[in-house]
Structures are given as structure tokens and as C-alpha cells.
Amino acid sequence: MTTSTEPRHRAGPREWLGLAVLALPTLLLSIDVSVLHLAVPHVSASVNPSASQMLWIIDIYGFVIAGFLVTMGTLGDRIGRRKLLLIGAAAFGIASVAAAYATDPVVLIAARAALGVAGATLMPSTLALIVNMFRDEQQRGVAIAIWVTMFSLGIAIGPVVGGAMLELFWWGSVFLLGVPIMLLLLVVGPILLPEYRDPDAGRLDLASVGLSLAAILPIVYGLKELANNGIGAVAVLTIVIGLALGVLFVRRQRTLTSPLLDLGLFSNRTFATALVALLVSMFIAGGTYLFVTQYLQLVSGLSPMKAGLWLLPAAFALIITAVVAPMATRWLRPAYVVAIGLAVSAVGHLMLSLTDSHADQNQVVIGFMLVYAGGGPLIALGTDLVVGSAPAEQAGSASALSETSTELGMALGVAVLGSIGTAVYRSQLSVPGDIPAAAAEGSKDALSGAVAEAQGLTADLATSLLTPARDAFTSGMNFVGALGVVLALATAVVVALVIKTPASGTDEQPQTETEPPATPQDAALSK
């Protein structure tokens, strides 16, 4: 990173007020993820989705966000980042109302997909505007730290707010949380936020947009099918199609002067490693959160409100470690801080892998708290490692890729680990012979189905059904926990060995990396 000698404009009160405005959609997006997990049993009972539909209701939001982030980041450069932010805010509010009043699983899935498209306009716009508003590096670092903390705060208050709304209102109320926030953003955004667009931005390549979506979605669908139904022709075919389209996407980017995705960024080892670390960490977190929230409600029998309160220690642990991690980089390399955090997460995953359905929920809560506490340093430092290792003129693309990595990781975690857990549940479930056939059939896909069926049985039969169902669900969570241990430790080792960014309080100079080969877009810029 080079240091410029020209004076930098320091942000004033208007910019800091603008940051508060930009924090609103960040807070909302993190709340929206957490409250839906708590609402799973209620959604299941109300709209009666199948196990596969329930997973799509949860994870299609993240899939669509991940698929459109790079596109929307590029679009914002062309039409204006503030303009795109406000369009997305209006669309998010409308889609939230549609999701809240959905009465059919397919309608709810469609509304969640629309929320994903709208969310994809909000996320890159907020970070890009922060970069434009805060030109001083120190102030920008503080602003990005606040931006990240708001995401953590949303995780903290989401379960409590969502749990309270689920107890006081119906499940659809959790989606209506976004409406007043989006209205406030639409009112004050034009006043406090500057407009920015790149006057030299190239043409948006619609073929690349289509190829990126056509590559991601079949791969994800194929992975879900593999986890749900084992190896089959449909699953293998969709994955192969997705990979083939991904190859075409990469080849097309190499030939464009204004690509949708600059592949030259990935030649930087720090950039690529930090990006993969974010993806893997969010992959583990997404699946773990799904299982822990259901364990507290369906195994421990807690209400949504109480389950939300039991999740608070983990969320606040995440906030604390995310705030402390940048301070620790004065003495330790960022890679070491991240690796230590991931090792702590591995201990938490180990605790989740060893719990059982008859244990006190304290073991699950403490294990989950360690998982989140260990992830704080990566969340706090990961974005800076990605954006800071990219050339200054490509910071926008790097920011979009960072957010794509985290969103896709979270969504894949819910889909893949959720599907694996479902597969384990099905293989481990052994329903006693005295359970009515209809109740046994309704329990075979998910624990939420078993809980629903038990409500129509006598107390003795309900216990006979729920005991093996809870044991089977916990077996799935154990498997996911063991997988989390392996992935967290492997990621910690790779990060520590590959990323060489020095501690900020030392005189050590960062190692320079070989410049990537010239691409068509480089040639065009040099003319």
C-alpha cells in the first residue's frame, strides 16, 4: 500500500450523520437473517412448507444477494450509488410487506427472493458510499469498524426483538421490521448522503450478469439435492451445468475491457485468502446458527423470546472481539489475530459436537458463544484485508466481492449444512411402532414436523415420538459441529501461513506480491 502525500479531506458532522443513515440498512439486513431462524417453527406451522421449501425460504434470500452483489455494485457505479441505494430501500420495503402477508410457501419464497435482489442493492452501496465520504484513512477505518459493528449489533438484538414480536404478534411481523427503517432511509438519505457515479465506467455486460446467476444457482441446487436425496442424476447434472457456466463466465471476463468481475484481483494471495476465509467462516456460522436456534426451541422447549435471550451472550461476544481485534493488530499480525479467533471457534464447535438432546442448554449456549467470539476478529479484519490488499482504483469491486463472499457463505451454510443435518435426521430417526402412521409420516422430514404432530397425540405417545426425533436432530447438529471443528482449524492454519500483512505497531514492511499479467482492461486503461 502506498502512502499519498497530498492532504486528505477530513469528514465533518454531515458525513458522520450520513454514516448513521448508512448503518440502518446494515442493521436491518443482519436482523432480518437472525429473526427468520427464530420464526422457522411458526412459519412451518402456518404455511406448511415441505422440508425442502423451508430451506429455500431461509436461504434463497442469501443466494440471490450473493448472485447480484457484484452486478449491483457495478450498476451503482453507472447510475449513482445513492440512487441505487434509495431504489433498493423502496423495493426492500415493498417485498417485506409481501413476505409478511404470504399464505403460501411458493409466494413466501418469491418474496424472499425479491428481498434478496433489493438487499443486493443496499450492501455494496453502503460500503462504497462510506469509502467516498471518508477520504482520510484513519477516519475511514473507524467508519468501517462502526459499519461492521452495526451488523454485529443486529445479530445481538435480532433474536430478542424477533422473539418478542413472535410472542406478541404473528410470524409475518418479523418482516415488517424493515418497513419503517426503509422509510427513514428514503426521507433522510437524499439530504445527508452524497451522490457518486463513475463517469468513466464501462458498459454493464448483461451476458456476464446472466452467466453469474446461471452458474451459482444450479451448483447450490445440486448440493442441496445431494444432501437431501443422495447421489442422483438431477443433482450431478445441475452441478456440472453450473460449473460449466462458471467456466464460460470466467472466460468471458478475461476478454472484456470492462468486466463484471476483474479476475486479476485473485492473483493477490492476501486478497484471495481473506476472501476464502470469510466464505468458510460464514459457511460454518450460517449452518450452526440454524441448528442452535432450533435446538433451543424444539429440543430445550424454550419460547422464541427466551431462545433469543439465550443467544445474546454469543452476539455480544462477537461485538466485543470484533472491536478488540483491530487493537490487537498493533502487536500481532492480522493473520495471527484471525487464526487465534478461529481456534476459539473450533473449541465452540467441539462443544456442540459433543452435546446430546438431554443435556442442559448451557453447553449449547457456551459452545455457540465461543463460535461467535472466535469469528469476531475475522469479521472485523476480513473486509479490511480484502479491500486493503486490492489496488485503490478497484476498492469498489473488492468491497462487493467481500460482501459476496460473506453472503454466499452464510447462504451455502444454511443450505448445505442444513441439508446435511436433515439427511442425518432422516437416517437416525426411528419412530416407535405404536405411533400412528400419519404422525410418523409427518415426522420423517424435520423435527419441527415431529413437534407439530406430537400436539395431536396423547402425552405418552407424544413423548415416544419426540424423544427419538430430538435425538436424531441432535445427531445432525453433532455432525455439523464436528465439521465446523475441521473447517475452522484448517482455515486458521491457511490464514496464518499465507497472509503476511504486518502488525500496525511495528516497522515491518509488508511483502510485495508479483504483479498479475496484463489483462485487456489494463491495456484499455493505459491508453
Side-chain angles (χ1 to χ4, degrees), residues 87-147:
I87 292 172
F92 198 96
I94 294 171
S96 295
V97 174
Y101 292 99
T103 57
D104 180 83
V106 176
V107 174
L108 184 53
I109 291 171
R112 288 281 290 168
L115 282 169
V117 175
T121 68
L122 300 175
M123 297 182 67
S125 299
T126 55
L127 187 55
L129 284 170
I130 287 174
V131 172
N132 295 139
M133 293 161 57
F134 295 90
R135 300 302 179 93
D136 179 81
E137 290 185 5
Q138 247 184 348
Q139 287 188 322
R140 185 169 66 244
V142 173
I144 291 177
I146 292 173
W147 183 77

Side-chain angles (χ1 to χ4, degrees), residues 189-282:
I191 300 173
L192 294 175
L193 300 177
E195 183 58 286
Y196 176 85
R197 63 174 60 87
D198 183 0
D200 299 321
R203 179 179 61 87
L204 181 66
D205 185 54
L206 295 180
S208 294
V209 174
L211 281 172
S212 67
L213 288 173
I216 291 174
L217 295 181
I219 292 174
V220 172
Y221 178 80
L223 291 172
K224 286 168 60 66
E225 282 295 305
L226 282 175
N228 281 329
N229 304 313
I231 297 177
V234 173
V236 173
L237 182 61
T238 52
I239 291 175
V240 170
I241 290 174
L243 291 173
L245 291 172
V247 171
L248 291 178
F249 172 80
V250 170
R251 287 184 174 178
R252 183 169 181 83
Q253 302 317 293
R254 293 185 185 279
T255 64
L256 297 174
T257 55
S258 298
L260 187 68
L261 177 61
D262 182 3
L263 300 176
L265 289 170
F266 291 94
S267 63
N268 184 304
R269 289 186 303 171
T270 297
F271 176 90
T273 303
L275 207 62
V276 172
L278 284 170
L279 179 88
V280 174
S281 180
M282 292 299 103

